[in-house]
Amino acid sequence: MSASWRTLRLVAADVLRRLLRHLWPAPHTERTRNRAYLRERLITLPLLTVVAAVAFGWAYAEIRSDTTALRDSYTPALGDLADAEMSLRIADREAERSLAAGESVRLSGIGKRYLTRTTRATQSLNQVARSGALTTAERQELDVVSGLVVDYGTWIDFAQDNVGDPPLRAAGLSYARSMLCTPPAPPDEAGPGGYPPCEPGSGSDATAVVDRISALEESLRGRLAERAALGGGVLGAAGVAGISLVLLGLGLWRTQVFLRHRFHLRVSVPLLVASLPLLAVPFLTADAVLAHRAQQRAVTTAHQLSEATSPAIEATVEERPFGTPHPRLIASLDERADRDLAGGRLPGLGGAAPWVVPVGLLSAALSYATLHSYRREYVLISRSGAAL
């Protein structure tokens, strides 16, 4: 066992020594053989370039794709869900007020706000379905919500048709409200702005519209927070890219020094061109950091879309159409999220993500071709007996 262990240690030491020789070659002052040095650089520099480009490009593309998903899918879906809930609660209060007028509702009908808000709720739910943010199960749940909204309107129509019969009118309005909230709030209770409280429930009895919308919002917020967080894959790729980029920068510099001392080249222009993409790394890194910070702000805004809105706030749009918008309006929060996510980038880097890996591969190919030409030229000279 001890002999096997000793052999394993020797093999591991030899592999480590060879790896370090490639990653950190001997200084140019030592009499390293030119052919051996160029062979090591021919392998190491392109390999480091490819690893750095793939790891950095994948991590950067993941962060940018998360920003796109949040901006185009998740936050709009959360805003539409909140808008649907608030619109239905505003419409419910309008229906109660109109039905309380008695027979006059037969002539005037339920208020215009009721029709506007129920139509808006239906449109918002349709936009959520088209957002692409929901899973298959959530799409099915959203279909149930849409069906309940239709049934809610049917029972309000029933109450309107029987407005002259107080018991039937009250029964129709009560049943419609039970579909909206679980349990429905007593008529004499009112929250801010005169709207009855409608806290979402949970568990097997939470089957009302508000309960189901709240569950969808919670699920969406959870996935949004996951997309906004730096996952293990991104962190691992960033670590690999960081180490590879440091070694690549040092390797390119040391190779230039070697060529200057051994080949009497003031500078290798092809290797200099191959190293130019490294100048973009700080800017792309800063862009990724700004994007991640914007995603974290979007998480806060997403929570406010679900928790900080209320029918009283949303009703100010109709009551004061030309006033200063309330900062907790759904439209205001949507605009804030869009502004944060759109501003989380450096100018001019909008389409940079798809080019990171191709540019890295091109740089690796240029490095390989350059070092291969130097090595081939040295071999030809050495065969004629003219090299040191």
Side-chain angles (χ1 to χ4, degrees):
M1 181 64 69
S2 60
S4 301
W5 177 249
R6 190 180 305 108
T7 303
L8 183 61
R9 289 180 58 186
L10 291 175
V11 171
D14 182 64
V15 171
L16 182 61
R17 185 168 56 253
R18 290 175 179 270
L19 179 62
L20 290 177
R21 187 182 64 191
H22 280 269
L23 296 180
W24 193 265
H28 64 84
T29 54
E30 296 184 13
R31 297 303 300 173
T32 307
R33 293 183 60 190
N34 293 355
R35 187 186 302 181
Y37 188 95
L38 290 174
R39 184 179 65 250
E40 293 169 0
R41 298 297 88 193
L42 186 65
I43 296 173
T44 305
L45 293 183
L47 180 60
L48 284 174
T49 304
V50 171
V51 171
V54 172
F56 185 86
W58 182 83
Y60 180 71
E62 281 293 302
I63 293 175
R64 295 300 342 167
S65 66
D66 289 341
T67 295
T68 302
L70 265 58
R71 184 185 64 243
D72 298 342
S73 183
Y74 286 91
T75 52
L78 282 170
D80 288 331
L81 284 174
D83 185 76
E85 178 186 344
M86 295 301 110
S87 293
L88 287 172
R89 293 186 62 186
I90 293 171
D92 181 69
R93 186 189 182 198
E94 188 67 20
E96 179 192 8
R97 286 181 173 180
S98 298
L99 293 172
E103 290 290 341
S104 62
V105 78
R106 292 184 183 274
L107 300 177
S108 60
I110 299 180
K112 181 180 178 181
R113 180 183 289 186
Y114 169 82
L115 297 176
T116 301
R117 283 292 178 171
T118 51
T119 301
R120 182 170 172 174
T122 301
Q123 292 174 345
S124 295
L125 293 175
N126 290 335
Q127 289 173 355
V128 174
R130 293 193 298 267
S131 67
L134 302 183
T135 63
T136 301
E138 289 169 347
R139 281 291 305 272
Q140 295 173 351
E141 184 71 7
L142 187 67
D143 291 340
V144 174
V145 172
S146 298
L148 289 174
V149 171
V150 174
D151 291 342
Y152 170 84
T154 300
W155 283 101
I156 292 295
D157 292 340
F158 173 84
Q160 181 182 0
D161 294 339
N162 295 277
V163 69
D165 189 335
L168 287 179
R169 180 189 66 191
L173 182 60
S174 176
Y175 192 79
R177 280 189 160 175
S178 69
M179 301 177 69
L180 187 64
C181 291
T182 304
D188 56 342
E189 292 187 12
Y195 291 88
C198 184
E199 296 297 329
S202 58
S204 58
D205 295 332
T207 57
V209 171
V210 172
D211 303 332
R212 295 176 185 271
I213 289 179
S214 177
L216 289 173
E217 289 175 334
E218 183 178 0
S219 178
L220 269 178
R221 287 201 311 271
R223 290 208 304 280
L224 184 147
E226 290 178 0
R227 293 296 296 263
L230 292 177
V234 172
L235 291 175
V240 171
I243 295 173
S244 300
L245 287 169
V246 171
L247 293 174
L248 177 61
L250 290 174
L252 287 169
W253 175 72
R254 290 170 65 88
T255 302
Q256 290 280 14
V257 173
F258 176 86
L259 293 174
R260 186 179 63 187
H261 283 268
R262 296 292 180 89
F263 281 50
H264 303 291
L265 294 175
R266 184 179 298 273
V267 65
S268 173
V269 176
L271 283 182
L272 186 63
V273 173
S275 64
L276 287 180
L278 294 176
L279 298 178
V281 172
F283 298 99
L284 295 176
T285 302
D287 185 65
V289 171
L290 290 176
H292 178 62
R293 290 180 177 177
Q295 292 168 13
Q296 295 304 307
R297 291 193 293 271
V299 172
T300 302
T301 304
H303 180 77
Q304 292 177 336
L305 278 170
S306 301
E307 305 294 338
T309 56
S310 70
I313 293 175
E314 289 300 309
T316 60
V317 175
E318 289 95 351
E319 296 167 358
R320 298 191 301 273
F322 302 106
T324 302
H326 196 286
R328 287 192 295 170
L329 275 174
I330 294 173
S332 299
L333 294 174
D334 276 337
E335 290 177 3
R336 184 198 304 175
D338 289 340
R339 186 170 58 252
D340 288 341
L341 292 171
R345 70 177 332 119
L346 290 179
L349 295 179
W355 292 97
V356 174
V357 175
V359 170
L361 296 179
L362 183 62
S363 177
L366 182 58
S367 298
Y368 180 88
T370 302
L371 292 171
H372 179 70
S373 66
Y374 289 154
R375 184 170 181 267
R376 183 177 59 180
E377 180 181 358
Y378 175 77
V379 170
L380 292 176
I381 295 174
S382 64
R383 285 177 180 174
S384 65
L388 292 177

